């Protein structure tokens, strides 16, 4: 009678061995398709007033498309989650992790929003996107902004646009290179630099949402429906410089400071939590023992 043992899982490191590096959740073909679809819709939602026929009056009614955008955005976020889980083989623990981080981010936002752009939530989104990867990072950013709006009463025509912008913000952190090998101070510097640049980009993208329908401004920075695209973009740049650079600077500076000071501790905690949640778990099997 053979004494062969059934195959059993063998993990790369035992309890006494070194912990396996946690890799961000990789994108599969379904995840990429879902993210491209939702991002394409977002780009159209932000930019179509620049190309709208001025005679239609639609460009000035940009705020009216927010309910339609939200109605499309929510099921697509679910689609991104389902596609990412299907591509990576994750389970309900991954969704629970998203829920916890979204709740923490939503609780952080009121602490600084409204005070010179000092919003600690952005720092959490950078680090979480880095650990969770682009797919889950996008969903985390969007859901966090949605929960924050419900928590603070900040529901308005800007909300679905904020969800898209924050989703892109966190997704970008998940797309940064060398997630498996780059660790330590160099990783923190890279994340701080990304957070600084992305904080300004977030503010710029959100300016585009409101600029097209905010009236009462001087002609030098106002949106003029039907004008050539390059002229409106020049006015838009002047509008950003005149209205939001100081606010974006505060957001960027706080993100950099928090990333460089406590980022290492939070990254370790996030990676430990994702390891326990079996993110990107890899199982190998030993052959029969004789």
């Amino acid at each position: 009678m053979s004494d062969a043992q059934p195959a059993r899982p063998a993990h790369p490191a035992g309890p006494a061995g070194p912990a396996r590096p946690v890799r961000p959740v990789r994108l599969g073909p379904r995840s990429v398709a879902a993210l491209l679809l939702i991002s394409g819709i977002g780009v159209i939602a932000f930019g179509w007033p620049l190309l709208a026929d001025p005679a239609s009056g639609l460009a000035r009614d940009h705020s009216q498309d927010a309910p339609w955008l939200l109605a499309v955005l929510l099921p697509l976020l679910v689609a991104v989650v389902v596609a990412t889980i299907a591509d990576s083989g994750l389970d309900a623990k991954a969704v629970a992790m998203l829920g916890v981080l979204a709740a923490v981010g939503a609780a952080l936002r009121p602490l600084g929003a409204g005070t010179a752009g000092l919003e600690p939530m952005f720092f959490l989104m950078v680090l979480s996107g880095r650990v969770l990867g682009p797919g889950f990072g996008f969903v985390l950013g969007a859901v966090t902004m949605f929960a924050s709006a419900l928590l603070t009463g900040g529901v308005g025509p800007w909300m679905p646009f904020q969800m898209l912008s924050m989703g892109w913000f966190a997704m970008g952190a998940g797309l940064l290179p060398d997630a498996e090998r780059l660790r330590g101070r160099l990783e923190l510097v890279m994340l701080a630099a990304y957070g600084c640049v992305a904080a300004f980009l977030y503010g710029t993208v959100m300016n585009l949402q409101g600029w097209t329908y905010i009236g009462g401004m001087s002609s030098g920075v106002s949106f003029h429906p039907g004008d050539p695209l390059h002229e409106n973009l020049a006015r838009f740049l002047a509008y950003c410089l005149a209205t939001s650079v100081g606010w974006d600077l505060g957001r960027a500076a706080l993100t950099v400071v928090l990333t460089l000071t406590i980022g290492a501790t939070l990254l370790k905690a996030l990676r430990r939590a994702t390891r326990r949640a079996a993110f990107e778990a890899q199982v190998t099997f030993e052959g029969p023992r004789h």
Side-chain angles (χ1 to χ4, degrees), residues 45-275:
F46 273 101
W48 70 261
L50 296 173
L51 305 175
D53 183 356
S56 67
L58 292 176
R60 289 296 186 185
D61 291 332
H62 189 27
S63 62
Q64 303 302 315
D65 58 10
W68 300 102
L69 178 59
L70 182 62
V72 172
L73 184 58
L74 291 178
L76 285 178
L77 289 175
V78 176
V80 173
V81 173
V82 172
T84 304
I85 290 176
D87 285 337
S88 59
L90 299 177
D91 56 20
K93 293 179 182 178
V95 179
M97 182 83 173
L98 283 176
V100 170
L101 288 174
V104 173
L108 282 176
R109 190 171 180 229
L111 298 180
T115 309
L118 301 178
E119 298 175 87
M121 183 184 79
F122 284 78
F123 144 77
L124 177 63
M125 294 299 103
V126 170
L127 301 187
S128 298
R130 173 69 168 175
V131 172
L132 298 182
F136 273 19
F138 182 91
V139 175
L140 174 64
V143 172
T144 300
M145 193 59 74
F146 179 74
S148 172
L150 296 180
L151 179 66
T152 62
V155 177
W158 52 83
M159 186 181 71
F161 296 94
Q162 287 178 326
M163 292 170 63
L164 279 167
S165 299
M166 187 56 70
W168 288 330
F169 182 94
M171 181 178 72
L175 292 172
L176 293 174
D178 291 326
E180 295 180 42
R181 292 171 293 182
L182 186 62
R183 292 290 188 269
R185 194 67 179 175
L186 286 178
E187 182 181 33
L188 291 179
V189 170
M190 180 183 69
L191 292 175
Y194 170 79
C196 179
V197 174
F200 281 97
L201 291 177
Y202 173 88
T204 301
V205 171
M206 283 307 302
N207 283 340
L208 184 59
Q209 180 266 333
W211 173 66
T212 56
Y213 62 81
I214 295 177
M217 297 183 296
S218 64
S219 59
V221 296
S222 295
F223 171 57
H224 292 180
D227 275 10
L229 180 61
H230 69 277
E231 293 183 8
N232 267 326
L233 289 179
R235 296 189 189 100
F236 175 65
L237 178 60
Y239 169 80
C240 291
L241 292 174
T243 61
S244 68
V245 167
W247 189 276
D248 295 338
L249 180 61
R251 178 190 301 124
L254 183 62
T255 301
V256 169
V257 170
L258 291 177
T259 301
L260 294 178
T261 53
I262 61 175
T265 301
L266 185 55
L267 277 175
K268 289 179 182 178
L270 288 171
R271 283 171 173 148
R272 187 181 304 114
T274 55
R275 188 180 294 114

